[in-house]
Amino acid sequence: MWAYVRSAPGTYVWLAILFFTTVALHHMSPEFEQEFLRQRSTNLHELSRHPVRVLISSAMWIDGGYWAPYAVLYSVFHAQVERWLGTLRWLVVCGAAHVLATLISEGALLKAIRDGMAPESAVNTLDVGVSYALAGAVAVLVYRIRSPWRYGYLAVVLAVYTVPLAAGPTFTDFGHFVAVLIGFACFPLARGRGGQRNPKETAAVRPG
């Protein structure tokens, strides 16, 4: 277990930060928590005033207070991508998905507000979390899987992120879809990073 954690240090440092921030949220009153998270949210109001700060801080908090599911998802997806691509390239994938999907989805929301399709109050919508970066990691992992398994994985990823967008789209659903496309676009980072993996095989953790 320790060897597996050490093989993906960025993933588990991030996960540890999320654990402590989630514990902190549980000690806040509901009213204070909402205002606290709103100040760290990548909504239009905060992006227009403190873009760099909120793009970083929003990825350090989980809206909802349930950390355990993220521990599983980070181990299944983020850790695999980091071990495969290396920490630096994994960070590029996560950063690109988080930042670009946020800016594009918030840009779409701004247009919806100006066109009268969304209320003015939407500029203060609470928008924190790590799901865009996770979607990017999930998507880039398609290049790690050997055919024909790759196509089944690709179909599942597209279904998970396009069905909500088609059924009742929100700007968050749109952001997730954009993040997946960004993950797919990170193919150049995956080129030359080791052989493709058969899902039936169990990959050994590198020693050290």
Side-chain angles (χ1 to χ4, degrees):
M1 178 68 72
W2 177 238
Y4 188 86
V5 170
R6 289 177 58 194
S7 70
T11 295
Y12 290 101
V13 167
W14 192 3
L15 197 56
I17 292 171
L18 292 176
F19 175 79
F20 287 111
T21 56
T22 301
V23 170
L25 287 179
H26 283 297
H27 288 81
M28 299 178 187
S29 67
E31 297 78 11
F32 181 80
E33 176 185 332
Q34 289 298 303
E35 183 58 29
F36 180 86
L37 290 178
R38 188 167 287 108
Q39 292 176 9
R40 287 152 182 81
S41 175
T42 50
N43 56 43
L44 289 169
H45 177 70
E46 293 296 334
L47 278 173
S48 66
R49 300 176 61 194
H50 312 289
V52 176
R53 178 177 66 80
V54 295
L55 282 168
I56 295 172
S57 63
S58 65
M60 301 298 140
W61 301 87
I62 299 171
D63 182 23
Y66 295 102
W67 178 83
Y70 287 92
V72 175
L73 292 171
Y74 269 51
S75 297
V76 172
F77 297 106
H78 277 305
Q80 293 296 325
V81 175
E82 185 179 1
R83 291 175 60 210
W84 168 45
L85 296 182
T87 300
L88 181 59
R89 295 189 185 203
W90 164 75
L91 280 173
V92 171
V93 173
C94 293
H98 175 66
V99 173
L100 295 179
T102 295
L103 295 179
I104 292 171
S105 61
E106 290 294 331
L109 178 60
L110 178 60
K111 186 178 186 306
I113 293 172
R114 290 176 174 174
D115 292 346
M117 300 175 63
E120 290 286 342
S121 60
V123 299
N124 290 310
T125 300
L126 184 61
D127 184 21
V128 296
V130 297
S131 58
Y132 292 167
L134 179 61
V138 168
V140 77
L141 201 57
V142 72
Y143 302 118
R144 178 62 167 157
I145 301 173
R146 185 180 303 166
S147 299
W149 306 99
R150 171 184 296 179
Y151 304 111
Y153 180 84
L154 175 62
V156 171
V157 171
L158 289 175
V160 167
Y161 288 102
T162 58
V163 168
L165 187 63
T170 66
F171 80 94
T172 303
D173 294 327
F174 178 63
H176 286 144
F177 182 72
V178 170
V180 166
L181 296 182
I182 292 168
F184 291 150
C186 288
F187 171 71
L189 295 175
R191 185 178 297 154
R193 300 302 294 183
Q196 296 172 348
R197 181 185 171 191
N198 187 328
K200 288 186 176 181
E201 301 171 354
T202 301
V205 176
R206 292 193 300 269

